[in-house]
Amino acid sequence: MTSRTMVARTMAGAMLGAVLAAFAGAASADNALSLKELSPNGADACFGRIYDAAHLKAHPHQKVARIFFFYGHDPVSRPNEEPAANQNTSYNGFLTTTVHDAKKPEWAGGWCNKNDPSDPSSGIRCGMDCDRTLASLKVDDKGKLLLSDLSPDIYLDADSAESLSKAEYNKQALGSGDDNFKLDPMPADTCKAEFARIDPIDPALGDPLRVRLKPDQPFCFGRDYDDAHLKSHPNQLTQSIRVFRGPVELASFAASGDTANWPDGADIAISVTTKQKGAKVTQTYSCQGEADQWRCSASSKMSDFSCDISQKEIFMKRGANGTMMVANPNNAVAVVDLCSKAAHGKTKSDDKVYRLQPMPQSACAP
């Protein structure tokens, strides 16, 4: 539905994704730098490597000329969606790379935890928004960082493989040789200087959603797709979508929410009409601020389900010029029955990312 809208490089603090539930604890102040392999003394840690022309010539499928991994406190310091008390621990792993023909780096942030906390030799996985992997990490006996599982589309939208042409995808993505890097330990200031080369965040994005959307005020965002759009996206099921907080959601937060921790505990509703069924289906979600996104889990508050839908999650991020981006990586928007076999696994239809416009509250009326 969009090409480069929910970019990972706009993360770390300002549709963001998301991280597995196992990584949620990594964002607390008590264990933000608890991985001794990366930071033996609990201080910010930096690893990096700069490749010369001879290396790049010998590895034609590698685009990355500069790569740095920083484990520590946010080196970008952009306002984000978490309550103020949690903002200093939003992310603890940051990756920046510069391809050989680029003037500026691109970057992404994530939460890093051991794959198996009970196994000292277990590797480390860093998760990021929309339930994606930032990288897998391991430190060798010489203190070098082995970085693997780096996806070529790490800086692209979650639906980039489907929404971009093959040629454009290959142009924007990293190269097939951009993985399995061995990075040298470096002073923390070296990484901070590298991140300082990144362009400021797009001013068109404006304030975070938690500032734009008030705990005691309703909102309505949506989109109606016309025939021309649906014809050009034959695999899209959504004909109309609304994301909103109305009287029911406001009353729920007023009764049990804490405005100091907004948007944690905020209920939202999503109504969708699909082109096959034509009937509107509304699903409620419970949200929390997580770095530059709202992570919202499907809730059974308004209806009964034959399955546990709490792992069905959508992710909301601010878009440019007052828009809202909504990511649906794992069939959490009810374009299909959330308990059906069709809803298992990742979203296969072209209903992964939505760019929504603000609408009058009447457009979101039940």
Side-chain angles (χ1 to χ4, degrees):
M1 298 180 186
T2 60
S3 59
R4 203 175 175 88
T5 49
M6 300 192 68
V7 277
R9 64 180 177 179
T10 63
M11 294 173 37
M15 126 115 356
L16 195 145
V19 71
L20 293 171
F23 294 98
S28 69
D30 292 338
N31 66 353
L33 296 181
S34 63
L35 297 175
K36 300 302 182 184
E37 301 95 322
L38 300 179
S39 175
N41 60 359
D44 292 346
C46 174
F47 303 85
R49 188 168 178 181
I50 300 173
Y51 295 94
D52 58 22
H55 176 97
L56 294 174
K57 185 176 181 179
H59 298 81
H61 298 297
Q62 178 180 326
K63 292 184 180 181
V64 170
R66 302 169 66 92
I67 178 170
F68 292 84
F69 186 87
F70 182 72
Y71 179 64
H73 299 90
D74 183 0
V76 186
S77 299
R78 295 174 175 172
N80 64 23
E81 299 291 354
E82 292 191 343
N86 302 330
Q87 287 186 22
N88 290 334
T89 57
S90 300
Y91 286 87
N92 53 31
F94 301 83
L95 176 73
T96 181
T97 61
T98 308
V99 297
H100 57 75
D101 57 350
K103 295 181 180 179
K104 297 286 182 71
E106 295 192 282
W107 72 284
W111 303 261
C112 302
N113 267 32
K114 293 182 72 67
N115 289 324
D116 183 357
S118 65
D119 181 2
S121 64
S122 173
I124 298 167
R125 176 184 180 270
C126 297
M128 56 184 289
D129 72 327
C130 296
D131 208 6
R132 298 194 290 172
T133 295
L134 176 67
S136 294
L137 311 174
K138 202 158 192 175
V139 178
D140 68 11
D141 55 4
K142 296 182 179 180
K144 295 180 181 288
L145 181 69
L146 309 179
L147 188 151
S148 60
D149 295 332
L150 184 60
S151 299
D153 60 355
I154 191 168
Y155 302 120
L156 303 182
D157 292 353
D159 68 339
S160 56
E162 291 84 9
S163 62
L164 297 175
S165 68
K166 184 176 181 179
E168 188 62 25
Y169 177 88
N170 290 336
K171 178 182 177 181
Q172 295 188 24
L174 297 179
S176 59
D178 289 314
D179 199 9
N180 299 312
F181 293 98
K182 182 179 287 189
L183 310 183
D184 298 315
M186 294 184 173
D189 285 345
T190 302
C191 276
K192 292 178 181 178
E194 191 71 10
F195 279 93
R197 299 174 59 223
I198 298 167
D199 285 335
I201 198 165
D202 183 357
L205 292 176
D207 289 329
L209 292 177
R210 66 177 176 83
V211 174
R212 289 162 45 186
L213 309 175
K214 307 300 183 183
D216 59 348
Q217 296 177 8
F219 66 73
C220 173
F221 287 79
R223 187 168 177 182
D224 299 313
Y225 296 95
D226 59 24
D227 291 340
H229 177 96
L230 294 174
K231 185 176 181 180
S232 64
H233 296 77
N235 293 323
Q236 179 179 325
L237 303 178
T238 306
Q239 187 171 48
S240 178
I241 180 170
R242 300 287 188 270
V243 177
F244 61 96
R245 293 181 78 230
V248 173
E249 292 74 32
L250 293 177
S252 175
F253 191 81
S256 59
D258 179 1
T259 55
N261 286 317
W262 171 260
D264 289 3
D267 287 342
I268 66 159
I270 298 182
S271 291
V272 291
T273 302
T274 59
K275 59 186 181 183
Q276 291 93 336
K277 296 181 180 179
K280 182 169 67 175
V281 176
T282 300
Q283 175 59 45
T284 301
Y285 301 78
S286 180
C287 302
Q288 65 181 38
E290 188 176 75
D292 69 340
Q293 65 186 0
W294 289 19
R295 176 183 180 181
C296 305
S297 301
S299 168
S300 299
K301 285 184 178 180
M302 303 301 174
S303 54
D304 295 327
F305 283 87
S306 59
C307 67
D308 178 10
I309 62 170
S310 61
Q311 298 304 310
K312 295 290 185 180
E313 297 174 331
I314 59 100
F315 305 90
M316 295 172 17
K317 298 177 77 169
R318 60 183 180 159
N321 302 314
T323 60
M324 176 191 289
M325 308 306 302
V326 174
N328 175 38
N330 292 305
N331 287 294
V333 172
V335 293
V336 294
D337 183 343
L338 297 186
C339 291
S340 67
K341 290 183 179 180
H344 292 172
K346 296 188 178 299
T347 305
K348 295 181 179 179
S349 65
D350 191 8
D351 300 89
K352 301 180 183 71
V353 181
Y354 303 90
R355 184 199 297 272
L356 307 180
Q357 299 286 342
M359 291 184 165
Q361 198 66 25
S362 58
C364 288

